[in-house]
Amino acid sequence: MTLLKSPPIYTPQSPTRPAKRTVGRSYQAIIAMTLITTIMGGGIGTRLATLQLVEGKQNVQEANRNRIRVIPKQPERGKILDRKGRILASSRLSHSVYVWPLAQRKTTWPRTLRRLSQLLNIPEAEIQNRMERAGYSSPYLLRVAWGLSREQVTALEEYSSELDGIVIDVETVRHYPNGKVASHVLGYTGEMNDEDLERRKDRGYRLGDVIGQMGAEAAFESQLRGEWGGQQVEVDGLGQVVQFLGTVPAKAGQDVRLTIDLEIQKAAEAALGDAQGAIVAIDPNNGAVLAMVSRPAFDPNIFSTRITEKTWAELQSADNPFVNRALQGFAPASTFKIVTTAAALESGKYSPYTVLGTFPYLTVGGIQFWDWNRAGFGPLDFAGAMAWSSDTFFYQIALGVGGPTLIEWTRKFGFGQKTGIELAGEEASGLVADETWKNLELGEDWYAGDSVNMSIGQGYLQASPLQVAVMFAVPANGGYRVKPHLLKDNEEAKNWRESLDLEPVTVDILQRGLRQVVTNGTGGAMNDPTLPPNAGKTGTAEDPPRLSHAWYGGYAPYDKPEIIVVAFGENSGGGGGAFAAPKVKQVLDAYFKMKNRQG
């Protein structure tokens, strides 16, 4: 490169004056130079002494930092196990290809990257972009593809003479031996995007790192991740590698044991089949999640190879398979009559011995609110109204207790807030509307008809299948709201639940009503002698103009519950008793058969 010289600087001179005395000027200059040299020499000597004697150790360390670098090696991710130690997610070996920016100068990389692009069928611009983001002086290996086929590895080896700085290595990638089973619980892993990197770079994450993207993989990332290792290398002043100095082994991540039971999970998967919806099974005593299924599902193994934008778009378009419907809000329908009953009895406005007439419909605010059978059921008490799911019975209850009381108890049962499960980023809070919400959102007051709709789980009310399971736990365990969780531990049940302080008579009426649903009500499909005595509740939620949602939640054994199962069919039609109850029965049947085998 040629440098242009600056033009000479012109400085105006003062007018000519008589010459001054110059005798002794040469001696003054010599003396001044001697003093300056002495002072400078002393300063340099002092600085050298400081560098060698005082800061010597620090400077050696700094020089080593500039000379010695580490090429990182990603650790093997910890396994995810079910409650009995069976593998749900592990790792397998796979070939990956890396670019080592230090291996070439920036000017010589384009030809190599062009050849690599051709061999891997990856857009050259994509590889180039990754190089520029990492920096051409980066000492780190930069992964550009993983899950290579045997043919790709062979092709890279054949053209190795043209691929200076391209490294093929064997690393571990995630493997899910059961395919789609529990995919929404487990989630998947994938490379960080720019936003992920910005949030995590202060925790040691680097461009190209693989992290948990959803489910347990994301929730337990810190345990599963492990600690990086790598190779120490010496580099020269140009950043070129001179020699390898040694290897620091990576430390594998911790294994994580979930509360999921693989056998029950598979039974729930089979029960739901291809129907769009969800099934949740929990322990009513401590909230441990035994199974969680959502449809449509996906195979997390697809993320163990490179996913193109086109493939990702195709996956997303198939009715949102990555949405965990077990954690999304829907109208809970008549399952919600559990809350309405508790609100009535605990408010003191209705006695446990209340009997009300039921009718084809009630007129409230000039609107006819019909019973589901369009005829009514005659006089009913609380248990009978639960058994037959009489709408007009619960309409009257709602009008008697009023909207604020019903809303208060709805929230006490856990609706309108996240349950506390570790998948918080994927969980919806649901909706429990009140007058303030209605004023803000719709510009309307709260009407009596809103309370009527709410009493049967319709209107401005949404709950997830998991929240509905938490609701069923209250009568099942004697009055406690549980906190659902996925991480298995040995804590006592009391640490996972809190009392709602229900009166014993309230719990008794709820239990008897839910039992009568099975013995002589809308849940007759569950009245099977091959199952232990059980209790439950049907629900059918209108969703016009689409088909209705179908619900059934149940628990068994009735006298000492061990498991709650909630089945939900999204726009399935058919009603809770016909569509959802048989699916719950299938899961309970698998659970008790497994229990009997194990003694």
Side-chain angles (χ1 to χ4, degrees):
M1 180 170 57
T2 303
L3 298 176
L4 297 177
K5 294 183 179 179
S6 301
I9 299 174
Y10 173 73
T11 305
Q13 301 294 319
S14 301
T16 304
R17 296 180 179 180
K20 293 184 179 180
R21 185 176 64 86
T22 59
V23 177
R25 287 282 179 91
S26 60
Y27 294 105
Q28 292 176 6
I30 293 171
I31 293 170
M33 289 296 295
T34 302
L35 289 173
I36 292 171
T37 303
T38 302
I39 293 169
M40 290 181 63
I44 292 172
T46 302
R47 180 57 181 159
L48 287 172
T50 302
L51 289 172
Q52 293 181 12
L53 302 176
V54 180
E55 300 176 3
K57 184 176 181 181
Q58 177 182 337
N59 290 325
V60 169
Q61 292 174 346
E62 188 67 31
N64 283 337
R65 276 195 291 270
N66 293 330
R67 183 173 58 85
I68 299 173
R69 297 181 181 176
V70 175
I71 302 172
K73 183 72 173 178
Q74 186 162 299
E76 181 178 350
R77 200 167 176 83
K79 299 181 183 69
I80 301 179
L81 311 171
D82 86 335
R83 66 189 301 112
K84 296 174 182 174
R86 292 171 290 202
I87 294 177
L88 301 176
S90 61
S91 299
R92 64 175 176 82
L93 296 178
S94 172
H95 283 92
S96 297
V97 61
Y98 299 83
V99 172
W100 194 356
L102 281 176
Q104 294 190 44
R105 298 180 186 277
K106 181 178 180 179
T107 55
T108 61
W109 267 114
R111 177 178 296 180
T112 303
L113 298 185
R114 191 173 303 116
R115 172 61 75 186
L116 183 63
S117 168
Q118 295 168 351
L119 294 172
L120 296 179
N121 194 27
I122 297 176
E124 183 181 347
E126 181 179 323
I127 304 176
Q128 183 75 30
N129 181 55
R130 293 174 73 86
M131 282 282 286
E132 291 175 354
R133 287 164 60 199
Y136 286 91
S137 61
S138 172
Y140 303 130
L141 290 175
L142 179 65
R143 185 194 302 104
V144 295
W146 56 98
L148 300 184
S149 67
R150 187 182 300 275
E151 291 74 19
Q152 288 175 314
V153 173
T154 301
L156 290 170
E157 290 174 345
E158 288 178 353
Y159 287 90
S160 60
S161 61
E162 302 178 37
L163 297 173
D164 188 27
I166 304 302
V167 178
I168 303 173
D169 197 6
V170 175
E171 67 173 350
T172 58
V173 296
R174 217 52 171 156
H175 176 58
Y176 303 89
N178 300 294
K180 292 184 178 182
V181 173
S183 58
H184 292 88
V185 174
L186 299 174
Y188 63 93
T189 60
E191 280 195 357
M192 290 189 300
N193 57 31
D194 291 342
E195 293 178 0
D196 291 329
L197 180 59
E198 186 62 30
R199 288 195 302 266
R200 297 171 184 264
K201 62 183 180 182
D202 60 341
R203 286 177 274 169
Y205 285 87
R206 305 174 178 88
L207 181 67
D209 277 8
V210 172
I211 61 171
Q213 298 285 359
M214 67 174 281
E217 293 280 22
F220 306 117
E221 167 71 15
S222 59
Q223 297 100 307
L224 293 167
R225 182 188 179 208
E227 296 180 10
W228 283 78
Q231 287 181 316
Q232 282 188 327
V233 296
E234 181 181 355
V235 297
D236 59 22
L238 297 176
Q240 304 298 311
V241 175
V242 176
Q243 64 175 323
F244 289 92
L245 301 177
T247 300
V248 177
K251 184 178 180 181
Q254 302 172 29
D255 294 344
V256 170
R257 182 172 295 207
L258 303 184
T259 57
I260 294 292
D261 187 299
L262 180 57
E263 194 167 347
I264 303 306
Q265 179 73 30
K266 287 182 176 179
E269 303 261 356
L272 189 56
D274 294 328
Q276 189 160 301
I279 290 180
V280 175
I282 69 171
D283 183 328
N285 301 298
N286 63 13
V289 178
L290 304 175
M292 181 182 288
V293 183
S294 177
R295 288 286 187 276
F298 63 94
D299 186 348
N301 286 301
I302 61 176
F303 295 96
S304 294
T305 57
R306 179 176 174 271
I307 298 292
T308 64
E309 291 184 6
K310 179 181 178 182
T311 302
W312 177 248
E314 290 172 351
L315 289 169
Q316 289 282 54
S317 65
D319 295 319
N320 297 312
F322 297 98
V323 173
N324 188 345
R325 285 166 168 79
L327 303 179
Q328 304 306 306
F330 305 91
S334 290
T335 63
F336 184 78
K337 289 170 181 175
I338 291 172
V339 175
T340 307
T341 298
L345 295 170
E346 292 296 312
S347 70
K349 295 183 178 180
Y350 291 92
S351 82
Y353 308 104
T354 296
V355 175
L356 298 176
T358 63
F359 313 96
Y361 63 87
L362 290 183
T363 302
V364 179
I367 300 174
Q368 292 179 342
F369 291 86
W370 288 83
D371 214 314
W372 68 269
N373 72 343
R374 318 289 288 186
F377 297 89
L380 292 173
D381 61 4
F382 277 105
M386 186 76 76
W388 291 108
S389 198
S390 170
D391 294 332
T392 55
F393 180 96
F394 290 99
Y395 295 160
Q396 295 173 77
I397 294 297
L399 293 172
V401 301
T405 299
L406 186 56
I407 291 167
E408 176 189 358
W409 277 96
T410 303
R411 291 175 174 152
K412 284 185 177 181
F413 270 76
F415 293 99
Q417 57 192 288
K418 294 188 177 185
T419 63
I421 195 169
E422 295 91 337
L423 309 182
E426 301 160 43
E427 183 180 20
S429 298
L431 174 64
V432 179
D434 55 18
E435 187 163 33
T436 300
W437 178 91
K438 203 170 176 218
N439 284 334
L440 289 172
E441 296 295 325
L442 304 176
E444 297 178 356
D445 293 330
W446 185 268
Y447 302 126
D450 295 324
S451 301
V452 165
N453 263 333
M454 190 176 190
S455 72
I456 62 166
Q458 296 269 186
Y460 306 114
L461 178 67
Q462 290 189 340
S464 70
L466 184 61
Q467 289 173 322
V468 170
V470 170
M471 176 189 69
F472 272 99
V474 175
N477 64 31
Y480 295 88
R481 191 178 88 192
V482 297
K483 179 181 177 180
H485 57 280
L486 284 168
L487 190 61
K488 181 82 170 64
D489 58 38
N490 296 316
E491 287 186 333
E492 296 181 16
K494 65 182 181 182
N495 295 320
W496 292 102
R497 64 188 197 178
E498 61 177 305
S499 175
L500 296 187
D501 296 322
L502 298 176
E503 294 292 334
V505 67
T506 300
V507 175
D508 179 64
I509 288 175
L510 287 172
Q511 291 174 341
R512 287 194 291 108
L514 295 173
R515 176 63 181 148
Q516 287 184 32
V517 169
V518 174
T519 57
N520 63 333
T522 58
M526 301 296 297
N527 196 18
D528 189 323
T530 63
L531 288 176
N534 59 90
K537 183 72 188 76
T538 56
T540 304
E542 295 179 357
D543 188 30
R546 293 166 293 190
L547 294 175
S548 59
H549 301 315
W551 292 87
Y552 188 84
Y555 59 84
Y558 168 68
D559 57 343
K560 194 175 181 181
E562 301 174 12
I563 182 173
I564 292 171
V565 182
V566 171
F568 166 72
E570 182 180 2
N571 301 121
S572 61
F579 177 87
K583 299 184 184 304
V584 172
K585 179 180 178 295
Q586 192 171 334
V587 178
L588 291 179
D589 185 61
Y591 174 84
F592 288 105
K593 282 182 178 177
M594 177 189 72
K595 183 181 177 182
N596 291 335
R597 282 199 314 271
Q598 295 171 351

